[in-house]
Amino acid sequence: MRMVKLVLTWILSLSFLWPASVKPYEHNGLLLDCARKYYSIEWIEQLIDHLARNNGNELILHFSENEGCRIESEQYPWLTDRMNGVYSQEEIIRLGQYARKRGIELIPSFDAPGHLQYVLAQYKEQYGESIAMDCSEKCLDISNEKGVAFIRSLYEEYGKLFLKAGSTQFDLGGDEVFPDHVWKKAGSWQTMIEKKKHDDRLSAYDAFVDFINENNNFMKSLGYTSCRMFNDQLRKGHIPLDTDIDIAYWTIKGDLPANNKVLNYLNFYLYYILDPDLSYMGGDPGSIEREWTPVFFLNKKIDESRISGSAYCIWSDIPDTQTEQEVMQGVLPNLEAWGHKCTTRNKN
């Protein structure tokens, strides 16, 4: 035993020889869009096994989209009535337990205020009134107090559920709210935020940032230690984004706040999409091995000290184009290449 301790002490004493930049990344994740396609729990457990073998430590479960919401709600049992295949809350807890045994954290992904068409339509059918924007049936009207309260009640229910499953991080989404030309139609957001903050300089975009910040604070109050959002809607405004929100950088569109940590979700290399007509040139094992590292963001240079990891993403845009077995066969070579490269710090 004394000899073992001496050997361990010697190994640890050599750590100063390794540059700080070769420390493992904190976040090595895989995002699974199970909102648009139902994947069996057994299949997801197999995916977790593969993720663990390829240096992953996070499975981001994207369970709500324009086309559906995949986890049962005990407070709103009607929410998933139209879904063909729903995860029970007990199954989510089981999945979290399975993941933790393999060193994987399950991270919930519930996107708002955009990507909510299914949830908003179900609300309207149930209560006979709309909480969506007039200019977009996919987007929550964040100037509607009743609508915001409803969505936040879902954040609370699902948030508490995933805390039981061992989650400490939450994905707030925040992407693809409106096309650029539609923002000017969100006058109610501007009026609301000007009145709320007593500042007539504020815009609809500032209302969006305030909404994200409030969701961040709400999830922290439930017990989450970290939240993240996508980068594409970010730009300069008068209300700053909370600096403790991590930015999932998936597209060269959008701005990056100066003080937030960044995760590499770069679509060009890291998107596997169930759509035969939509693919990216870098989305193959060879390109990932040759060209991509977690510090490579195509045309944008980001201080390496801000980069805390990356995620490979499975998006189920047209769910019936592949079976879950075909998805696994297609994803695994890319996942292996990503898993190899996500532990390196080579600059491109």
Side-chain angles (χ1 to χ4, degrees):
M1 180 61 70
R2 175 177 170 77
M3 180 60 68
V4 171
K5 289 182 178 179
L6 287 173
V7 172
L8 288 173
T9 301
W10 176 73
I11 291 172
L12 290 172
S13 71
L14 296 178
S15 62
F16 73 92
L17 296 175
W18 293 88
S21 63
V22 301
K23 290 180 180 178
Y25 286 98
E26 181 181 357
H27 305 284
N28 297 320
L30 171 65
L31 184 146
L32 176 64
D33 171 12
C34 61
R36 288 180 278 199
K37 182 177 180 67
Y38 176 81
Y39 297 90
S40 70
I41 290 293
E42 293 75 19
W43 186 92
I44 298 176
E45 289 174 344
Q46 292 177 23
L47 188 66
I48 288 171
D49 292 340
H50 289 297
L51 180 60
R53 285 194 286 268
N54 287 284
N55 303 312
N57 60 13
E58 298 173 351
L59 176 63
I60 305 138
L61 211 60
H62 185 74
F63 64 91
S64 176
E65 255 297 342
N66 289 322
E67 294 80 5
C69 184
R70 192 67 67 179
I71 300 176
E72 69 171 353
S73 168
E74 293 182 351
Q75 61 178 332
Y76 307 115
W78 44 265
L79 187 61
T80 54
D81 281 351
R82 293 187 176 180
M83 298 304 299
N84 182 18
V86 175
Y87 304 115
S88 70
Q89 298 203 2
E90 290 76 15
E91 285 178 314
I92 295 301
I93 293 173
R94 163 189 158 182
L95 202 58
Q97 292 171 342
Y98 187 91
R100 286 204 307 278
K101 290 178 181 178
R102 285 149 184 79
I104 307 291
E105 178 178 341
L106 199 61
I107 300 177
S109 175
F110 187 90
D111 206 338
H115 287 270
L116 281 174
Q117 183 174 356
Y118 173 85
V119 171
L120 299 178
Q122 288 296 96
Y123 181 95
K124 183 177 180 180
E125 181 173 316
Q126 181 70 18
Y127 297 116
E129 59 181 302
S130 175
I131 55 173
M133 290 294 289
D134 291 337
C135 59
S136 175
E137 60 185 1
K138 301 177 182 179
C139 184
L140 170 71
D141 182 357
I142 62 175
S143 67
N144 184 315
E145 293 182 2
K146 188 181 293 186
V148 170
F150 169 66
I151 294 301
R152 195 151 292 150
S153 71
L154 288 174
Y155 271 125
E156 181 172 11
E157 180 178 7
Y158 290 132
K160 288 180 177 178
L161 168 63
F162 277 86
L163 286 171
K164 291 178 184 177
S167 305
T168 65
Q169 306 170 75
F170 198 97
D171 179 0
L172 300 168
D175 62 315
E176 297 179 323
V177 179
F178 302 126
D180 289 342
H181 69 280
V182 178
W183 276 96
K184 62 184 179 182
K185 298 181 180 180
S188 62
W189 291 15
Q190 180 172 353
T191 301
M192 178 268 293
I193 198 64
E194 287 178 346
K195 182 177 180 181
K196 178 179 179 180
K197 299 294 186 180
H198 307 287
D199 188 342
D200 60 8
R201 300 175 304 157
L202 301 182
S203 66
Y205 172 73
D206 292 305
F208 162 71
V209 173
D210 186 65
F211 175 78
I212 295 292
N213 287 345
E214 286 191 345
N215 287 340
N216 177 47
N217 292 330
F218 181 72
M219 300 315 295
K220 298 288 180 61
S221 75
L222 293 182
Y224 284 87
T225 60
S226 176
C227 291
R228 64 185 65 174
M229 68 174 292
F230 292 105
N231 74 298
D232 59 283
Q233 295 296 291
L234 296 177
R235 62 197 70 179
K236 289 180 172 59
H238 293 287
I239 294 180
L241 185 73
D242 287 348
T243 57
D244 61 350
I245 297 175
D246 295 337
I247 308 302
Y249 184 101
W250 72 275
T251 174
I252 60 175
K253 298 178 181 178
D255 200 2
L256 271 180
N259 298 312
N260 297 68
K261 291 289 186 180
V262 182
L263 299 159
N264 192 327
Y265 282 54
L266 189 59
N267 56 358
F268 192 81
Y269 294 97
L270 302 180
Y271 272 26
Y272 185 92
I273 304 174
L274 274 66
D275 181 346
D277 297 320
L278 180 59
S279 63
Y280 292 97
M281 291 178 64
D284 63 87
S287 296
I288 295 171
E289 286 281 5
R290 287 191 309 272
E291 303 163 16
W292 179 83
T293 72
V295 302
F296 184 51
F297 293 83
L298 289 178
N299 67 339
K300 188 176 289 290
K301 296 292 184 181
I302 298 174
D303 183 349
E304 188 175 349
S305 66
R306 297 176 60 193
I307 302 166
S308 59
S310 64
Y312 191 83
C313 303
I314 303 171
W315 293 107
S316 307
D317 290 33
I318 307 179
D320 293 335
T321 55
Q322 294 184 29
T323 66
E324 60 181 24
Q325 291 78 18
E326 289 170 333
V327 174
M328 188 72 80
Q329 291 171 0
V331 163
L332 283 184
N334 292 354
L335 186 66
E336 290 170 1
W338 163 83
H340 172 231
K341 297 299 291 292
C342 76
T343 57
T344 63
R345 293 249 176 176
N346 299 324
K347 295 182 179 180
N348 288 48

